[in-house]
Amino acid sequence: MRNGLLLLWFLTIASVTWADTGSSLTVLPAQTTLAGSKATQRLLVEAQRDQENAGDLSAKAVFVSSNPKVATVGTDGVVRAVGDGSATITAKIGRQRAKASVRVVGTHAPFAWSFRNHVLPVLTKAGCNSGACHGAAAGKGGLKLTLRGYDPDADFNVLTRQANARRVVPGDPDHSLLLLKPTMTYPHGGGRRIVPNSPDYAVLATWIQVGTPRPRPEDPRPQGLEVFPDLSSLQVGDAQQILVRVRYSDGHSEDVTRWVKFGTSDNSVATVDDFGKVKMMGHGEAAITVWFSSKVAFARVVSPYPGSVPPPPAGIQGENGTIDRLVTKHLNRLHIPASPGCTDSEFLRRAALDTAGILPTTAETEAFLADRASDKRAKLVDKLLARPETTDYWTYKWSDLLLLNSRKLPAPALNAFYDFIHKSVETNKPWDKFTREILTARGSTLDNGAANYYVMHKDPIDLTETTTQAFLGMSLMCAHCHNHPLEKWTQRDYFQMANLFARVRLKSGDRGGEVFVLTANNGDIAFPRLRAPLPPRPLDGKEMALDDPSDRRETLADWVTAPENPYFARAIVNRVWRNFMGRGLVEAEDDLRMTNPPSNSELLDALAADFVKHGYDVRYLMRQILLSDAYQRSATPVGINAQDSRYYSHYIVRRLPAEVILDAVSQVTGIPTEFPDTPKGTRALQLRDSQVASYFLTAFGRPEREKTCACERQQEPNVAQALHLSNGDTVNGKLRSSGGMIDHLLTANATDAQVLDQLYLAALCRPPTATERQKALAILAEAAPAANVPAPEQRTARRAILEDLFWAVLTDREFLFNH
């Protein structure tokens, strides 16, 4: 009796202790419809704190069904259909209760496993049709399946018709090779992939037993995935089960967790096993990606860093409340403190380099630092956005994006395309209009520079892949041969998209380098699997009739630039954000696939919506970022935010682009760079052609503009760069050249202190610190030539000293990096 009372007392105390934590319970999914006699749905019991999922408590829960004649529930939380009707599933933990509603339909209808929606997912989950197994181009062991089941009809024929139909034995499923091999009943090079008598084994065996029904055109198709929970806040060491439900075109949904391919964006934060069990490995945030039947979704798991978050630092007044609210919200969720605001000199240099690719002049720096107006940063941003150097800088960026180079275009055509881009940037042409003019360009390539896009990319396949990468920030290349393994795009989607470009024609003009871009009334691209064309269609847009005589590119442009297009605005917003913040909300900047989710989805969505609302105004977007607290933070980490490289708790220090460094060296030394066959005084950021010879630009990672990929530009430091800065002609040659800043200082008889001030203001936008000044002046004094040395020799000796001083600053990390 006493032991029973002690046990009751213990359970009561445990219940109260858990309940007193301020948590409540919820059951996921809260509502479920089970369609058919075989339908099941696993339920999760989640702790809730501050309206967030805070831990998987399913193993501690007791489940009860209000109506076992409709649905039963096991100790594992799996609900099974029994009969049509409704039931309530209650989960109990101590004195806590949470409920989920279940509706069951169609239990009296005959049930059969679908080859398309059940058999193929079993084989895909087992890896049978992966690229390393029978999904390889040549197959394995005489069996060739389509990669991840992208062609159900072909796979059905291979499994049921080839090899003398020995792969399936309808009268005796257990003797089918389809079951004997993956269970290792017969030797199998791929090892055991399916466990005998498991649920997956039963799907295959039952499908074979009933005569292997083939895929039908009327089979319901997956429309999208639901993930439960979609966001969880956990502690390091916690485990969390992820559930996945697919919505089909006929309206019903199924729990497909056991057939989903899971992945994680950051193994150091969270791992996930083949069955969706997440384990928190460290502090931070990770995206758990799920893939099923070419549909992709993700869930986020967060483990806040220990400690509380201090209030936001004072001293910076960002103008874009949306940016700062959502960045701060994310930092608070992770318990990451934000760095304080940057200094005026840091902001001046940072903003000028990020916006226009230039250093402020010494006079501009002195005036800005002396200005006491509260709105001086906003005024600076407005001045920068209006500068011609800003036009040059962004023209250069879009020339990288659109691959302008003389290997693809003759000089007259290249100049026409460049002038089109330059004028568009100069007038702040809305991004949707800029894109539309390129995609629908026609006529002479010399009169309409945008038409050169079709000269550079003549093949519809090339046009499809370049267009999606440049304007939508996604790569379709994989879908050319098979359904995309990391995205929702199918091979059918790819060829319907490509067919939009099938009727573009080119005709030579009379002038040198001139080509006319025209559209024809006929011509299509054949879909390889059917050897016939498919109706043209923008990715997930509406189909056009094959015999529609209108310019298909107009339909494409309508879809690409439509306000509701979920990719277009996000792609350009992400590119602009990365330019200023050092890292894209999606990284890499042109890899906006579902399996590579943003570090802050809410912020990217909000920025894209605001960009559309303001007429696709790129300068407006730049201004909002520049004037945000997030952009104006110091680069100096605070506490644990030193570990943050994704959430913008501090400014991300990064090396300057090759062209910006070269122009900055030219500006500080006063010696312009001379480029072959280019007017004297042309800056690197004014070059129209990526093929202009420059060892410095090549060594420091200038892109070749051969493929539409941000990866072409290399900004990682390397030995070749260090050697060139030390021994190469670029910096050293400018320092030795006459007529530059050093000669100007010598002629003016500038003192050592004046030289230091001028150099630091010109190169670093700040005066030297007291410590830097003391050390430098001591070194300069020690190296000074003796007073009795003749004047010419004194000038020569002093020049050598100043050259060394300039070299030390121009090769220092503070100069070469933005911070």
Side-chain angles (χ1 to χ4, degrees):
M1 179 67 178
R2 186 173 58 182
N3 289 339
L5 290 173
L6 284 173
L7 178 60
L8 178 61
W9 174 84
F10 174 79
L11 291 174
T12 302
I13 293 299
S15 298
V16 171
T17 301
W18 185 83
D20 286 346
T21 63
S23 298
S24 60
L25 294 182
T26 188
V27 177
L28 300 176
Q31 296 180 329
T32 297
T33 298
L34 300 179
S37 58
K38 299 290 186 180
T40 64
Q41 174 65 61
R42 183 174 179 179
L43 300 179
L44 295 178
V45 180
E46 293 288 318
Q48 287 257 300
R49 293 189 188 94
D50 299 325
Q51 297 183 326
E52 287 190 345
N53 298 304
D56 186 350
L57 302 176
S58 304
K60 300 178 180 179
V62 175
F63 296 92
V64 177
S65 172
S66 67
N67 192 346
K69 293 182 179 180
V70 171
T72 60
V73 60
T75 57
D76 55 359
V78 176
V79 180
R80 291 176 169 80
V82 177
D84 290 3
S86 297
T88 298
I89 306 298
T90 302
K92 307 176 184 179
I93 300 181
R95 291 182 297 184
Q96 298 273 1
R97 302 286 188 275
K99 297 180 179 182
S101 61
V102 176
R103 177 170 168 261
V104 179
V105 297
T107 55
H108 299 295
F111 179 87
W113 295 112
S114 161
F115 181 81
R116 186 190 305 275
N117 294 323
H118 300 118
V119 172
L120 282 181
V122 167
L123 299 179
T124 300
K125 180 68 175 189
C128 303
N129 53 21
S130 69
C133 199
H134 300 291
K140 286 287 177 68
L143 173 60
K144 181 183 182 307
L145 299 172
T146 60
L147 185 65
R148 292 197 175 187
Y150 76 86
D151 189 342
D153 292 306
D155 289 340
F156 176 84
N157 288 331
V158 165
L159 292 173
T160 63
R161 302 293 186 267
Q162 288 185 2
N164 295 321
R166 291 185 301 117
R167 291 178 178 138
V168 292
V169 184
D172 192 359
D174 292 340
H175 285 83
S176 301
L177 289 178
L178 185 59
L179 291 172
L180 294 172
K181 287 277 193 174
T183 57
M184 284 294 286
T185 305
Y186 282 6
H188 180 227
R192 174 174 282 184
R193 315 304 299 180
I194 295 175
V195 177
N197 302 317
S198 66
D200 286 353
Y201 185 98
V203 170
L204 298 181
T206 303
W207 172 73
I208 296 171
Q209 179 71 52
V210 298
T212 65
R214 67 177 307 114
R216 304 170 302 163
E218 63 270 24
D219 286 340
R221 308 299 173 95
Q223 298 298 296
L225 303 178
E226 298 174 279
V227 185
F228 305 96
D230 58 353
L231 174 64
S232 301
S233 183
L234 308 170
Q235 299 299 315
V236 174
D238 284 354
Q240 172 67 59
Q241 178 64 47
I242 300 294
L243 300 183
V244 183
R245 191 162 66 180
V246 61
R247 299 186 308 274
Y248 283 102
S249 55
D250 64 356
H252 89 281
S253 297
E254 292 183 24
D255 183 347
V256 292
T257 305
R258 66 186 183 190
W259 298 326
V260 165
K261 291 283 187 180
F262 292 94
T264 177
S265 64
D266 191 339
N267 277 297
S268 67
V269 174
T271 59
V272 60
D273 66 17
D274 289 342
F275 304 100
K277 178 74 79 172
V278 174
K279 179 71 177 292
M280 297 305 296
M281 308 301 293
H283 298 293
E285 181 182 67
I288 305 301
T289 58
V290 300
W291 184 99
F292 174 80
S293 195
S294 291
K295 298 300 177 186
V296 183
F298 64 90
R300 291 190 181 279
V301 289
V302 176
S303 179
Y305 288 87
S308 59
V309 180
I316 38 179
Q317 298 296 324
E319 289 194 2
N320 191 317
T322 299
I323 290 177
D324 295 321
R325 176 174 58 83
L326 295 178
V327 169
T328 300
K329 177 182 177 181
H330 217 70
L331 293 176
N332 288 346
R333 175 181 290 148
L334 289 164
H335 292 185
I336 298 175
S339 293
C342 63
T343 65
D344 281 344
S345 61
E346 288 170 336
F347 178 75
L348 173 65
R349 186 177 192 270
R350 177 191 299 178
L353 289 168
D354 283 342
T355 307
I358 57 171
L359 289 169
T361 65
T362 301
E364 289 169 337
T365 298
E366 291 175 328
F368 184 76
L369 297 182
D371 190 351
R372 294 294 176 261
S374 60
D375 62 346
K376 69 177 186 179
R377 293 192 179 188
K379 290 179 178 178
L380 170 68
V381 167
D382 290 337
K383 289 179 181 178
L384 284 171
L385 291 173
R387 290 188 67 144
E389 293 91 344
T390 297
T391 297
D392 294 336
Y393 178 81
W394 289 92
T395 298
Y396 198 95
K397 286 189 73 71
W398 304 147
S399 295
D400 281 352
L401 179 68
L402 296 171
L403 307 181
L404 269 68
N405 82 69
S406 55
R407 291 179 182 172
K408 298 186 176 184
L409 292 173
L414 186 145
N415 288 332
F417 203 176
Y418 179 90
D419 289 341
F420 165 79
I421 299 171
H422 192 275
K423 185 67 174 178
S424 298
V425 176
E426 183 179 40
T427 59
N428 194 29
K429 183 179 294 180
W431 189 252
D432 61 333
K433 184 178 180 182
F434 175 74
T435 302
R436 173 178 287 278
E437 289 179 0
I438 291 174
L439 294 180
T440 62
R442 59 174 64 242
S444 168
T445 55
L446 301 187
D447 298 332
N448 181 6
N452 286 288
Y453 185 72
Y454 289 97
V455 177
M456 297 168 62
H457 312 289
K458 298 180 177 67
D459 181 64
I461 298 300
D462 186 22
L463 281 165
T464 299
E465 295 177 0
T466 300
T467 298
T468 52
Q469 192 89 54
F471 298 113
L472 304 176
M474 63 175 72
S475 173
L476 279 191
M477 188 179 299
C478 291
H480 181 220
C481 299
H482 47 72
N483 290 357
H484 203 301
L486 300 174
E487 260 290 14
K488 70 176 186 177
W489 309 120
T490 65
Q491 190 184 33
R492 184 182 184 91
D493 294 328
Y494 182 100
F495 278 92
Q496 286 190 282
M497 176 80 169
N499 212 12
L500 292 164
F501 294 108
R503 295 184 177 179
V504 178
R505 302 289 184 266
L506 304 178
K507 178 182 177 183
S508 296
D510 296 330
R511 293 176 286 176
E514 183 178 43
V515 175
F516 282 89
V517 176
L518 313 167
T519 55
N521 293 324
N522 54 63
D524 292 293
I525 295 177
F527 182 43
R529 285 157 53 193
L530 299 178
R531 298 183 182 179
L534 297 173
R537 178 177 63 88
L539 290 179
D540 52 8
K542 295 181 179 179
E543 289 185 354
M544 298 179 66
L546 279 168
D547 59 356
D548 189 329
S550 61
D551 188 347
R552 295 174 176 180
R553 300 176 306 156
E554 293 285 351
T555 298
L556 173 64
D558 288 344
W559 174 79
V560 167
T561 62
E564 61 272 17
N565 186 316
Y567 318 107
F568 178 63
R570 287 161 57 93
I572 184 60
V573 163
N574 193 57
R575 290 187 191 278
V576 174
W577 178 271
R578 187 183 192 279
N579 175 84
F580 289 102
M581 302 301 289
R583 177 187 175 90
L585 288 161
V586 176
E587 187 69 22
E589 69 182 69
D590 50 8
D591 190 18
L592 273 67
R593 53 187 161 82
M594 283 293 292
T595 48
N596 184 33
S599 60
N600 191 327
S601 299
E602 195 176 0
L603 176 57
L604 181 55
D605 290 343
L607 284 174
D610 191 52
F611 181 61
V612 173
K613 177 182 176 182
H614 285 85
Y616 300 89
D617 185 334
V618 178
R619 282 190 195 167
Y620 165 83
L621 173 62
M622 295 178 189
R623 190 177 192 276
Q624 299 309 300
I625 297 172
L626 283 161
L627 293 180
S628 67
D629 289 359
Y631 179 76
Q632 296 183 39
R633 290 197 175 107
S634 169
T636 304
V638 174
I640 61 169
N641 86 8
Q643 303 174 46
D644 170 33
S645 62
R646 302 182 64 198
Y647 307 113
Y648 314 105
S649 58
H650 55 84
Y651 183 81
I652 298 175
V653 177
R654 71 263 194 194
R655 207 209 71 200
L656 295 168
E659 301 84 352
V660 175
I661 295 175
L662 184 54
D663 285 346
V665 170
S666 298
Q667 181 177 330
V668 174
T669 60
I671 304 297
T673 302
E674 294 186 10
F675 298 101
D677 304 318
T678 303
K680 191 172 183 178
T682 299
R683 295 182 297 114
L685 281 170
Q686 293 176 317
L687 295 174
R688 300 178 170 218
D689 181 13
S690 63
Q691 304 305 311
V692 173
S694 170
Y695 179 80
F696 184 94
L697 295 180
T698 300
F700 278 78
R702 172 182 60 177
E704 290 291 316
R705 296 181 181 170
E706 291 292 336
K707 57 182 179 178
T708 309
C709 180
C711 60
E712 267 208 326
R713 179 174 290 278
Q714 299 297 318
Q715 288 190 234
E716 293 298 319
N718 57 49
V719 174
Q721 295 168 9
L723 291 175
H724 187 64
L725 289 175
S726 298
N727 308 314
D729 292 335
T730 303
V731 176
N732 291 314
K734 291 181 185 297
L735 294 176
R736 290 192 295 264
S737 296
S738 60
M741 179 61 72
I742 291 178
D743 281 346
H744 172 76
L745 293 170
L746 290 171
T747 300
N749 291 317
T751 65
D752 289 346
Q754 290 172 329
V755 168
L756 273 179
D757 284 339
Q758 287 294 309
L759 176 56
Y760 271 68
L761 287 171
L764 306 179
C765 297
R766 65 172 179 84
T769 65
T771 301
E772 290 170 335
R773 185 184 299 277
Q774 180 182 5
K775 290 182 177 180
L777 290 178
I779 293 172
L780 290 171
E782 183 179 349
N788 59 356
V789 174
E793 295 180 15
Q794 277 201 8
R795 182 182 175 93
T796 300
R798 181 160 173 75
R799 194 183 205 292
I801 293 169
L802 296 188
E803 287 178 12
D804 288 345
L805 176 63
F806 269 65
W807 181 90
V809 172
L810 295 179
T811 58
D812 186 70
R813 188 174 184 269
E814 186 176 354
F815 177 77
L816 297 172
F817 284 70
N818 207 0
H819 46 81

